[in-house]
Amino acid sequence: MSIEVKNITKHYGKTCALNNVSLTFADNKIYGLLGRNGAGKSTLLNIISNRIFADSGTISIDGMPALENDAAIGRLYAMGEKTYYPESMRIKEVFKWTKLFYPQFDDAFARSLAEQFGLKLNKKIKSLSTGYLTIFKLVVALSVNTPYILLDEPVLGLDANNRDLFYRILLEKYSNNPFTIIISTHLIEEVANLIEDVVIIKEGQIICSEAREQLLANSYSVAGSAIAVDAYTAGKKLLGCEMLTGLKTAYIMGQPDCVTAGELEFAKIDLQKLFIQLTNA
Amino acid sequence: MSIEVKNITKHYGKTCALNNVSLTFADNKIYGLLGRNGAGKSTLLNIISNRIFADSGTISIDGMPALENDAAIGRLYAMGEKTYYPESMRIKEVFKWTKLFYPQFDDAFARSLAEQFGLKLNKKIKSLSTGYLTIFKLVVALSVNTPYILLDEPVLGLDANNRDLFYRILLEKYSNNPFTIIISTHLIEEVANLIEDVVIIKEGQIICSEAREQLLANSYSVAGSAIAVDAYTAGKKLLGCEMLTGLKTAYIMGQPDCVTAGELEFAKIDLQKLFIQLTNA
């Protein structure tokens, strides 16, 4: 059981948004899909969910080809940038309508979430603020109960309390009954402890797809005088460097070389910093 | 020279979005307009910029009434949730068009910003991703050179590198030639050092409007055993409490009472935490 992305390529005019992308999203896992603005995250999620079409390549969901295949596409729900409901529809009408297309949609759960977030069921979609539009989309996504949920920027415009509430609800739901969640977000620190696997996309190509723990265990930073750091990093897989008031910090892939410690200071890199080093160059 | 908000009230149906709001935005200052989702931030900014109309109350800009007064409204530029340009317009056409309405619009600066952010001038507005739509709006807002700039969620959907780039450009522009900036954002930690004055809005009312330094200097936290903390906080202006593995932390307005330190640990509160305490209850 998985989503298989095979050799997907997509151009917008002359711009190559995705370049021969292949990867697998296994079942019952929480993925972080990370990338800079314009890297191709939303394009990938929109192709997986049949909202736009690839130039070439295939998507399969639990072994079924996804292209215009309702049985396959019905196994996932994608919360995206756009709202696909009529603007003048009220929230409670959306709930009814969604239940028609997703029979597992849990109306009672959706109503309890709406109450927790302070989302009023009588509101029309067009009257929602940026934050509440996101909350509305989240409430639906968290209630459809499909095996795969794709969340493109799930905390866009949410205040800190509501972001916390969302993370807590997501984890609780996942702990009770695991499913696959793909989260694309720019607030990496906030999801760093939530995600199990990290997929990093850069300029339309996957540059990393592995367990978060493994990725973090295979990178470190070393700080000290520029001379000592440069001597240490020679021949190592250097991601990047920073200079701050005479102190040089280098970010390196691999394991620290304990023999040559001396005046050098070794440290772990957090996911946000590692992401910046991997995508900056 | 200032924006004066006087007794502004606004309802949406039965919901009171702003309840008799009065405040002043002085010239050449950076303001943080903070509030939870649905607190009324965007409504206030939209009323100041004449995009929606108050039920009662007045706005004046540099002494001139703002209501349908081009001379007054021309002194400010509001970057908001909505895009007011035709969707099929290209970025470079927006630049030309903006110059007609804002003669101080700096086309060369806008083009250099677009290049720094990787925004392509030939792109149509409708083809922009969430992040690039924000970048596009920011580039225009940073180039119009009006005395007042209102930024409603200026980093919505921006990656960490682009957020940093925006903060740096804003500060550099402000340092070279001060103007008034009102920033409404949910990423409070990131702007905490940028803003000079803090305006906090809660359920349509201003609950705080003062210099950031003063606000932070007049609040603190105290941690220790529940018994010791409760004894200490008795009679003080308590904002809220947290319990974590036996340790109680209380957030208090005022100055620490040094005489009764004992086993208690005092600390400063950062702006994000203070905001949560002030708006949570």
Side-chain angles (χ1 to χ4, degrees):
Chain A
M1 306 295 269
S2 62
I3 297 179
E4 300 279 346
V5 176
K6 271 191 196 149
N7 307 112
I8 291 285
T9 293
K10 172 75 182 175
H11 289 80
Y12 294 115
K14 284 178 198 160
T15 310
C16 182
L18 293 174
N19 184 1
N20 200 29
V21 165
S22 296
L23 78 160
T24 300
F25 296 105
D27 58 346
N28 302 341
K29 261 195 173 177
I30 305 181
Y31 287 88
L33 175 63
L34 311 179
R36 293 207 48 189
N37 290 126
K41 303 179 302 295
S42 298
T43 299
L44 179 60
L45 294 176
N46 282 331
I47 288 174
I48 293 174
S49 54
N50 252 349
R51 284 183 180 160
I52 58 173
F53 300 105
D55 301 338
S56 57
T58 58
I59 306 288
S60 67
I61 300 171
D62 294 345
M64 299 177 281
L67 195 65
E68 302 195 35
N69 178 348
D70 286 350
I73 287 300
R75 297 188 61 72
L76 65 80
Y77 184 86
M79 168 199 170
E81 296 172 299
K82 296 213 174 108
T83 313
Y84 292 89
Y85 305 96
E87 287 270 282
S88 61
M89 205 179 243
R90 293 180 198 276
I91 310 298
K92 59 184 180 186
E93 292 162 355
V94 172
F95 288 180
K96 274 187 205 163
W97 188 89
T98 306
K99 178 90 181 158
L100 290 178
F101 289 82
Y102 296 91
Q104 303 303 315
F105 179 81
D106 185 341
D107 190 69
F109 185 68
R111 282 165 185 266
S112 96
L113 291 184
E115 195 173 336
Q116 287 180 71
F117 282 108
L119 173 68
K120 290 181 184 131
L121 301 182
N122 262 326
K123 281 253 186 182
K124 291 182 177 173
I125 293 174
K126 67 177 167 198
S127 76
L128 299 173
S129 65
T130 307
Y132 270 102
L133 190 62
T134 299
I135 287 172
F136 152 66
K137 292 183 197 171
L138 275 183
V139 166
V140 176
L142 289 169
S143 306
V144 288
N145 292 310
T146 52
Y148 303 95
I149 303 285
L150 282 48
L151 303 174
D152 195 0
E153 308 220 39
V155 296
L156 196 76
L158 258 57
D159 66 42
N161 309 50
N162 282 332
R163 296 200 301 273
D164 274 350
L165 181 60
F166 161 65
Y167 301 132
R168 272 193 283 125
I169 292 169
L170 186 74
L171 256 190
E172 195 181 308
K173 192 174 162 71
Y174 176 80
S175 307
N176 292 339
N177 204 350
F179 54 111
T180 296
I181 309 158
I182 306 173
I183 301 176
S184 177
T185 183
H186 293 297
L187 301 187
I188 299 176
E189 285 144 282
E190 295 191 352
V191 297
N193 292 321
L194 201 74
I195 59 184
E196 298 169 73
D197 272 36
V198 179
V199 175
I200 300 180
I201 186 165
K202 182 181 174 181
E203 292 167 9
Q205 295 189 293
I206 306 296
I207 59 165
C208 164
S209 174
E210 64 182 297
R212 182 200 48 170
E213 285 305 327
Q214 196 175 315
L215 178 66
L216 294 180
N218 196 34
S219 63
Y220 63 103
S221 68
V222 56
S225 71
I227 293 171
V229 168
D230 289 346
Y232 175 82
T233 57
K236 295 199 168 60
K237 200 176 166 192
L238 194 63
L239 293 172
C241 290
E242 278 171 6
M243 280 295 287
L244 199 68
T245 59
L247 187 79
K248 184 166 188 169
T249 303
Y251 300 94
I252 303 165
M253 291 301 283
Q255 300 295 328
D257 181 358
C258 295
V259 191
T260 55
E263 57 146 334
L264 294 169
E265 204 165 302
F266 295 90
K268 294 213 156 286
I269 315 181
D270 67 37
L271 188 59
Q272 164 84 35
K273 254 210 173 95
L274 185 59
F275 169 79
I276 289 181
Q277 293 300 327
L278 286 169
T279 56
N280 223 349
Chain B
M1 306 294 270
S2 64
I3 297 179
E4 300 278 346
V5 176
K6 270 192 196 149
N7 307 112
I8 291 285
T9 292
K10 171 76 182 175
H11 289 80
Y12 294 115
K14 284 178 199 159
T15 310
C16 182
L18 293 175
N19 184 0
N20 199 30
V21 165
S22 296
L23 79 159
T24 299
F25 296 105
D27 58 347
N28 302 339
K29 260 196 173 178
I30 305 181
Y31 287 87
L33 175 64
L34 311 178
R36 293 207 48 189
N37 291 127
K41 303 180 300 297
S42 298
T43 299
L44 178 59
L45 294 177
N46 283 331
I47 288 174
I48 292 174
S49 55
N50 252 349
R51 284 179 180 163
I52 59 175
F53 300 104
D55 301 339
S56 56
T58 57
I59 305 288
S60 66
I61 300 172
D62 295 345
M64 298 177 280
L67 195 65
E68 303 197 34
N69 177 349
D70 287 350
I73 287 301
R75 297 189 60 73
L76 64 80
Y77 184 87
M79 167 197 171
E81 296 172 298
K82 297 212 174 110
T83 311
Y84 291 89
Y85 304 96
E87 286 269 281
S88 62
M89 205 181 245
R90 294 180 197 278
I91 309 298
K92 59 183 179 185
E93 291 162 356
V94 172
F95 288 179
K96 272 187 206 162
W97 188 89
T98 306
K99 178 89 181 161
L100 290 178
F101 288 82
Y102 296 91
Q104 303 302 317
F105 179 82
D106 185 340
D107 190 71
F109 186 68
R111 284 168 184 264
S112 95
L113 291 185
E115 195 173 337
Q116 288 180 71
F117 281 108
L119 173 68
K120 290 180 184 135
L121 300 183
N122 262 326
K123 282 252 186 185
K124 289 180 179 176
I125 293 174
K126 67 178 168 198
S127 76
L128 299 174
S129 65
T130 307
Y132 270 102
L133 190 61
T134 299
I135 287 172
F136 151 66
K137 291 183 198 172
L138 274 182
V139 166
V140 176
L142 289 169
S143 306
V144 288
N145 293 310
T146 52
Y148 302 95
I149 304 286
L150 283 49
L151 303 173
D152 195 359
E153 308 221 38
V155 297
L156 195 77
L158 258 56
D159 66 41
N161 308 50
N162 282 333
R163 296 201 299 275
D164 274 349
L165 181 59
F166 161 65
Y167 300 132
R168 271 192 284 125
I169 291 168
L170 187 74
L171 256 190
E172 195 181 307
K173 193 174 162 68
Y174 177 79
S175 308
N176 291 339
N177 205 349
F179 53 112
T180 296
I181 309 159
I182 306 173
I183 302 176
S184 176
T185 183
H186 293 297
L187 301 186
I188 298 176
E189 285 143 284
E190 295 191 352
V191 296
N193 292 321
L194 201 72
I195 58 184
E196 297 169 73
D197 271 36
V198 178
V199 175
I200 300 180
I201 184 165
K202 183 180 174 183
E203 293 167 8
Q205 294 189 293
I206 306 296
I207 60 165
C208 163
S209 174
E210 64 181 299
R212 181 197 51 170
E213 285 306 326
Q214 196 176 315
L215 178 66
L216 294 179
N218 196 34
S219 64
Y220 65 102
S221 68
V222 57
S225 71
I227 294 171
V229 168
D230 289 346
Y232 175 83
T233 56
K236 295 199 169 60
K237 200 176 168 193
L238 194 63
L239 293 172
C241 289
E242 278 171 7
M243 280 294 287
L244 199 70
T245 60
L247 187 78
K248 184 165 188 169
T249 303
Y251 300 94
I252 303 165
M253 291 300 283
Q255 299 294 328
D257 181 0
C258 293
V259 190
T260 56
E263 56 148 333
L264 295 169
E265 203 166 300
F266 295 91
K268 294 214 157 283
I269 315 180
D270 66 38
L271 187 60
Q272 163 85 31
K273 253 207 174 100
L274 185 60
F275 168 79
I276 290 180
Q277 294 300 328
L278 286 169
T279 56
N280 226 347

